[in-house]
Amino acid sequence: PITNLAIDAPRAGLSRSTTFGASDLYVQPINLGWHKKQADIITWYGLYAPTGRYNPGANDNRGMGMWSHELALGSTYFFNEKKSFHASALGTLEFHSKKKDSDVQVGNILMIQGGVGPTLMQILDVGMTYYAQWKLSDDSGLGLPALVDGRLGKNHNYGLGPEVALVLPLKKDLSQLAIFNFRYIWDVGTQLDTQGNTLLFSMTFKFM
């Protein structure tokens, strides 16, 4: 992955810094899925490798400076035989090593995300998407005040918003597909973390 990073936060005492280059690498060596009559199930193991530049205390880091492991389990349930109305949930658990050249270690993180809605004309998904994230264990080695350090409560985040996904066949036999996804999420509950809205637009091309 390649990233272009710029930071400008005067209130936090950070001056503008722009850096361009490689970020951390994500690898998913295990990915398994099952198709059932009324449900699809997926599970995987993923690994974040600290390939991006990281120096403790720097404001131009392109990586996180730590190894991270990810375990996931999710399912989409279809409410009718045509699979035109469905709900999904995906849970991921992250746990991390200590950061490079420091005693800082990020706590374990659990996230659940998914959505519910119909499929229209077999190519258009519309509905509501959601996410919930909890810090299961405290960060360590930060030397921050008790409120921020987590001893008075671990941080959590909740979000909700609309999502639209369009699937366009590039060939009649469906061997090639183009998938366009639009999502807008409002943070509706945040504790001990930054809060804001998220806009996501993605394009995926699938070749079978």
Side-chain angles (χ1 to χ4, degrees), residues 71-111:
L71 299 174
L73 177 64
S75 178
T76 296
Y77 181 79
F78 303 98
F79 293 95
N80 54 31
E81 292 184 359
K82 293 183 179 180
K83 298 185 176 182
S84 61
F85 195 82
H86 40 78
S88 65
L90 172 69
T92 57
L93 175 64
E94 293 182 15
F95 47 99
H96 318 275
S97 70
K98 288 185 177 181
K99 287 182 175 288
K100 176 185 175 183
D101 298 329
S102 74
D103 292 327
V104 175
Q105 185 168 10
V106 177
N108 299 335
I109 299 173
L110 173 65
M111 174 179 281

Side-chain angles (χ1 to χ4, degrees), residues 5-18 58-60:
L5 175 67
I7 298 176
D8 190 12
R11 292 186 179 182
L14 296 178
S15 60
R16 178 173 293 277
S17 178
T18 302
N59 60 10
D60 59 350

Side-chain angles (χ1 to χ4, degrees), residues 7 15 44 59 72 101 108 130 135-136 138 142 150 157 162 165-166 198 202-203:
I7 298 176
S15 60
W44 73 72
N59 60 10
D101 298 329
N108 299 335
Y130 68 89
K135 184 68 72 65
L136 300 182
D138 295 337
L142 297 177
N157 302 278
L166 177 65
T198 301
S202 66
M203 296 181 293

